Amino acid sequence: MPNDTPPSSGSPSSGPRVMTIPPGEDRERLTCPDCGYIAYRNPLIVVGAVAVWEDGRILLCRRAIEPRKGYWTLPAGFMEERESTMEGAAREAWEEARARIEIDALLAVYDIPRISQVQMIFRARLLSPDVEAGPESQEVGLFRWQEIPWDELAFPTVTWALREHHDRLGRHDFAPALNPTPDTLARWDRML
Amino acid sequence: MPNDTPPSSGSPSSGPRVMTIPPGEDRERLTCPDCGYIAYRNPLIVVGAVAVWEDGRILLCRRAIEPRKGYWTLPAGFMEERESTMEGAAREAWEEARARIEIDALLAVYDIPRISQVQMIFRARLLSPDVEAGPESQEVGLFRWQEIPWDELAFPTVTWALREHHDRLGRHDFAPALNPTPDTLARWDRML
Ligand SMILES: [Zn+2]
Ligand SMILES: [Zn+2]
C-alpha cells in the first residue's frame, strides 16, 4: 500500500515543469515549456484488500521496496487503466502475495488529500491459504488478530482498515468506513 | 457528470504521443519523443451527488456543454487534486447548480473500465432549495420522483444512481451500489 507518489518521469529540467494557468481554465497546471504539453494531474486511486482465510487469518505482506521497506502492509497498489476497482484489488493481491481472492464488500474509502490519493479497501475471501511473496514483498503471511504486528505496520491506513474489518466481522450491507475521527482514533488507542 | 475524458492537451503532433515500454516497467506508456516525458495515465475519479431537498425533490442540471448537451444530469465532475471525495462532490454541486449540500452517505461506486473512470456518487441533503445554473448548466431544477425526465437523462449512471437512491429511501448504513447486474437493469425496465 503505497502512500508515496507513483513513478515520476523525466528530470526537473525536461518535461512538464512550469505552473501556468492555461487559456480558459481557472487554476494552474503543470506545463512543458518545450513542447506545450499540459500534464493534468488528478487524484490517484489505490485499491487493496483485507483478505481473510477461512480460519479468520488475514494476509499481510512485508514490503521489499521503499517507502516503509521491511514494514507490513495489506496487498494494495495504484489502480491501472481499463480495470475495475475490484479487478485492481485482485490484481494487487496476486502481484504482491500470489493470492487469489474473491471480493466480498467495500470495507473502507480513505481520502488523503495531502497527496491527492483515494484508497478503496475491500474485504475479500482468500480462495487458498497458499500465498508467497511477489517481487514487491520480502515475505507474506497469514496473521491471527492477536498476531498482527501493530508496531510494524507500514501506513496508518493499514492499521485503520484492519481495525474497521475487525469491527465489522459477521456483518453485511454496511457503509464503508471513512477516515477515522479523532474520537475513533482515541478509542483504538485505548484498546492497545 | 462527464462520461467523456477530461480536457486533453496539445495536438497529436506534439507532447506525449508514442506508446513504449519504459525501462523497468511491464506495460506500454504514452511517451513524448521530443522531451522524453512519460505521461502516466491513471483512472480518473468522478465525484457527484444525488442532492435532496426536505420535500424529497432531487437536484438535476441540464448540461450546457458537450457531451450530451441539453440532457439532464446529476451535479458531478472530475475530482481535483488536494480535495477529499466529499469536498469534490460539494464543489461540483456549487459549480454546476450554486447548491450548498451536506453529504450523508456513499450511494454508489460505478466502475467504467472502458474509459478508466470510477464514479463515486454520494447521497446529500440540500441546505437550501435556492439553486441556479452555473456556467456548465443551461438550467437546474428540483424534481419529484414522478417528474424526473427519464428519457432525457445524460448518462446511464445518472439513471442508475437515481434508482438506487429511490431503493434506499429512509435507510442508513448501507453498502454502496455497484454497477447494476443485468437482472437489476431488467427489473428497472419493467418499472418504467
Ligand atoms: Zn515537453
Ligand atoms: Zn515533450
Side-chain angles (χ1 to χ4, degrees):
Chain A
M1 178 176 297
N3 273 29
D4 52 338
T5 48
S8 67
S9 59
S11 72
S13 61
S14 77
R17 60 192 182 275
V18 177
M19 292 299 286
T20 56
I21 301 180
E25 297 217 34
D26 65 351
R27 63 189 76 201
E28 291 191 319
R29 306 287 184 183
L30 198 63
T31 306
C32 176
D34 304 325
C35 69
Y37 179 75
I38 303 168
Y40 285 93
R41 291 201 294 194
N42 300 92
L44 292 170
I45 305 175
V46 166
V47 285
V50 174
V52 187
W53 177 236
E54 293 171 351
D55 59 9
R57 285 181 301 158
I58 295 168
L59 173 63
L60 295 177
C61 311
R62 206 143 80 88
R63 290 173 64 82
I65 53 173
E66 296 294 352
R68 302 292 280 163
K69 184 174 170 177
Y71 287 81
W72 292 90
T73 189
L74 296 168
F78 289 106
M79 190 178 171
E80 290 277 358
E81 288 199 284
R82 279 174 292 281
E83 70 183 1
S84 72
T85 48
M86 290 193 279
E87 287 165 354
R91 176 182 51 72
E92 289 289 342
W94 176 258
E95 288 180 5
E96 300 190 355
R98 298 295 178 248
R100 290 182 304 112
I101 65 174
E102 185 176 273
I103 306 256
D104 163 57
L106 179 58
L107 176 65
V109 177
Y110 294 129
D111 280 302
I112 315 179
R114 183 179 56 80
I115 53 173
S116 297
Q117 201 176 95
V118 177
Q119 299 192 354
M120 299 183 63
I121 311 296
F122 293 91
R123 181 171 78 181
R125 228 161 45 81
L126 265 178
L127 297 178
S128 156
D130 298 323
V131 293
E132 70 183 85
E136 297 183 1
S137 304
Q138 289 176 0
E139 58 175 315
V140 298
L142 300 179
F143 291 79
R144 272 175 251 284
W145 182 251
Q146 299 81 355
E147 298 166 345
I148 290 173
W150 296 105
D151 293 337
E152 297 170 53
L153 296 181
F155 306 109
T157 51
V158 175
T159 309
W160 301 350
L162 287 168
R163 294 207 169 271
E164 301 286 8
H165 164 71
H166 199 66
D167 282 353
R168 284 165 183 74
L169 285 173
R171 292 192 57 206
H172 295 273
D173 200 15
F174 52 78
L178 306 179
N179 294 39
T181 63
D183 280 358
T184 301
L185 290 171
R187 179 168 61 84
W188 286 340
D189 268 353
R190 285 194 301 274
M191 290 165 56
L192 286 181
Chain B
M1 178 176 298
N3 273 28
D4 52 339
T5 48
S8 66
S9 58
S11 70
S13 61
S14 76
R17 60 192 182 276
V18 178
M19 292 300 284
T20 55
I21 301 180
E25 296 217 35
D26 65 351
R27 63 189 75 200
E28 291 191 318
R29 307 287 184 183
L30 198 64
T31 306
C32 177
D34 305 325
C35 70
Y37 179 75
I38 303 169
Y40 284 94
R41 292 201 292 195
N42 300 92
L44 292 171
I45 305 175
V46 166
V47 285
V50 174
V52 188
W53 176 236
E54 293 172 352
D55 59 8
R57 285 181 301 159
I58 295 168
L59 173 63
L60 294 177
C61 311
R62 206 143 81 88
R63 291 173 64 82
I65 53 173
E66 296 294 350
R68 302 291 281 163
K69 183 173 168 177
Y71 287 81
W72 292 90
T73 189
L74 297 167
F78 290 106
M79 188 177 172
E80 289 279 357
E81 289 200 282
R82 279 175 290 281
E83 70 184 2
S84 71
T85 48
M86 291 192 280
E87 287 165 355
R91 176 182 51 71
E92 290 289 342
W94 177 257
E95 287 180 5
E96 300 189 355
R98 298 296 177 247
R100 290 182 304 112
I101 66 174
E102 183 177 274
I103 305 255
D104 163 57
L106 179 58
L107 176 65
V109 178
Y110 295 129
D111 280 302
I112 314 177
R114 183 179 57 81
I115 54 173
S116 297
Q117 202 176 93
V118 177
Q119 298 192 356
M120 299 183 64
I121 311 297
F122 294 91
R123 182 172 77 182
R125 226 161 45 81
L126 264 178
L127 298 178
S128 156
D130 298 323
V131 293
E132 69 183 86
E136 296 183 3
S137 304
Q138 289 176 2
E139 58 175 316
V140 299
L142 300 179
F143 291 78
R144 273 175 251 282
W145 182 251
Q146 299 82 355
E147 298 166 345
I148 290 173
W150 296 104
D151 293 337
E152 297 170 52
L153 296 181
F155 306 109
T157 52
V158 175
T159 310
W160 301 350
L162 288 168
R163 295 209 171 269
E164 300 286 9
H165 165 72
H166 199 67
D167 281 353
R168 284 165 183 74
L169 284 173
R171 291 192 56 205
H172 295 274
D173 199 15
F174 51 79
L178 306 179
N179 295 40
T181 63
D183 279 358
T184 301
L185 290 171
R187 179 168 61 83
W188 286 340
D189 267 355
R190 285 194 301 274
M191 290 165 56
L192 285 180

